[in-house]
Amino acid sequence: MRNLTPATITQAFADYCKNAPSERTRTLLVSLAGHLHSFVRENKLTQAEWGAAIDALTRAVKFTDDKRNEYILFSDLLGVSSLVDMVNAATTGTPSSVLGPFHIEGAPVLKNGGDLWKGQVGEPLVVSGKVTDQTGAPAKGTVLALWQNSGNGLYAQQDKDQEPTNYHGRLTVAPDGSFAFTTVRPLSYTVPDDGPAGDMLRALGRDAWRPAHLHMMIHAPGRAPLITEFFPEDDKYLDRDAVFGVRGGLVLPFKRATDRAELPANLAARDTLPMPVWTATIDIKLPAA
């Protein structure tokens, strides 16, 4: 390949990869290189500009540990995480959304009707609903993995003053598919912006806000997990989500209940919650099997 040109280098790269053991790996990496080559050609990228990109990726290492991954943050803020979710999403049932960085495997078991709030800072929220399949039948045996930020806007992993699994839990729905629990009303918050991903946001004139949301991973027997999140309809950042995670079918009203009779009968904290209290109804329909 002594006579490479900007027009021929992409094909040369593809030819070099013809002996890749995995055809799928070859397809992905040849396509990636091709798009990068096109980006360089179309924008007449300078060495200084490419060097700045390499420097940002190098600096990302310094911000990445077991509690934070700057590369995932880049993926989220560029919309790639959300796009991967959307192109693989089911076309039926409750929409999926991005996982985010704060899910904990093996979170504590929360009894159906249990309390995550425990009188902590913030406004208590009662969440209730039902999980059904495409026919409307209850999804027996479904386990809901729950996680969210606390009343100060921070996830447990971000706040040394919180227990490591605060506002994380695993709840098994009732035989009729119903569930209920008490938590705190989640808050809008900013993604970490003190690293190179934050520098990118500022260079683009973007802010770092995410609308408030409740995370759920729905584990129904015999099905792949449904990863999603639910947003209050009054949040001012719904149309400016830094990670592009909002879907129309995941936005719901948060209402005020003034009478305890409006609350689920199995709620452990039903008689002690300070009234009025926020409520949200989340009815989940599983995608077609």
Side-chain angles (χ1 to χ4, degrees), residues 175-191:
D176 66 354
S178 66
F179 63 91
F181 61 94
T182 310
T183 186
V184 72
R185 176 163 179 155
L187 298 178
S188 307
Y189 65 93
T190 56
V191 299

Side-chain angles (χ1 to χ4, degrees), residues 22-279:
S22 166
E23 182 60 28
R24 177 62 174 170
T25 299
R26 179 186 182 279
T27 297
L28 291 176
L29 291 178
V30 168
S31 178
L32 174 62
H35 284 290
L36 286 172
H37 292 178
S38 294
F39 171 77
V40 172
R41 286 189 291 261
E42 291 167 8
N43 294 282
K44 292 183 169 54
L45 200 69
T46 68
Q47 289 181 343
E49 289 166 338
W50 186 239
I54 297 298
D55 179 64
L57 295 176
T58 302
R59 288 192 298 119
V61 174
K62 300 177 182 179
F63 291 86
T64 299
D65 56 25
D66 60 344
K67 295 182 179 179
R68 171 177 171 180
N69 190 314
E70 195 76 0
Y71 297 99
I72 292 177
L73 186 56
F74 268 121
S75 175
D76 291 348
L77 298 178
L78 288 166
V80 178
S81 300
S82 188
L83 182 58
V84 171
D85 168 66
M86 288 189 284
V87 299
N88 288 280
T91 57
T92 59
T94 296
S96 60
S97 189
V98 292
L99 175 66
F102 297 117
H103 174 249
I104 295 175
E105 290 288 348
V109 171
L110 179 70
K111 185 178 179 180
N112 199 344
D115 180 26
L116 289 174
W117 179 51
K118 302 174 185 175
Q120 297 179 76
V121 171
E123 299 181 277
L125 168 70
V126 174
V127 179
S128 61
K130 194 170 186 178
V131 185
T132 60
D133 63 18
Q134 286 289 302
T135 70
K140 299 178 182 178
T142 294
V143 176
L144 306 179
L146 313 168
W147 72 101
Q148 64 171 95
N149 64 358
S150 69
N152 66 4
L154 298 175
Y155 286 83
Q157 295 95 318
Q158 299 174 299
D159 186 358
K160 62 180 178 57
D161 292 328
Q162 294 185 50
E163 292 296 321
T165 58
N166 195 35
Y167 288 112
H168 291 73
R170 290 180 296 124
L171 182 154
T172 301
V173 303
D176 66 354
S178 66
F179 63 91
F181 61 94
T182 310
T183 186
V184 72
R185 176 163 179 155
L187 298 178
S188 307
Y189 65 93
T190 56
V191 299
D193 64 352
D194 56 338
D199 293 341
M200 180 187 73
L201 287 181
R202 286 180 285 276
L204 295 172
R206 290 174 51 190
D207 60 39
W209 283 95
R210 288 220 70 200
H213 52 274
L214 301 165
H215 287 280
M216 283 194 190
M217 187 184 296
I218 297 96
H219 298 270
R223 297 172 180 264
L226 169 61
I227 300 167
T228 193
E229 50 190 343
F230 298 94
F231 304 85
E233 65 180 8
D234 61 351
D235 195 288
K236 65 181 180 180
Y237 296 108
L238 288 174
D239 297 315
R240 295 164 52 193
D241 183 7
V243 308
F244 308 95
V246 179
R247 314 280 184 264
L250 302 176
V251 178
L252 48 88
F254 279 29
K255 301 178 180 179
R256 294 290 259 175
T258 58
D259 189 333
R260 295 188 194 279
E262 302 174 62
L263 306 180
N266 70 329
L267 206 65
R270 189 171 188 263
D271 296 329
T272 57
L273 287 170
M275 303 298 289
V277 66
W278 288 105
T279 65

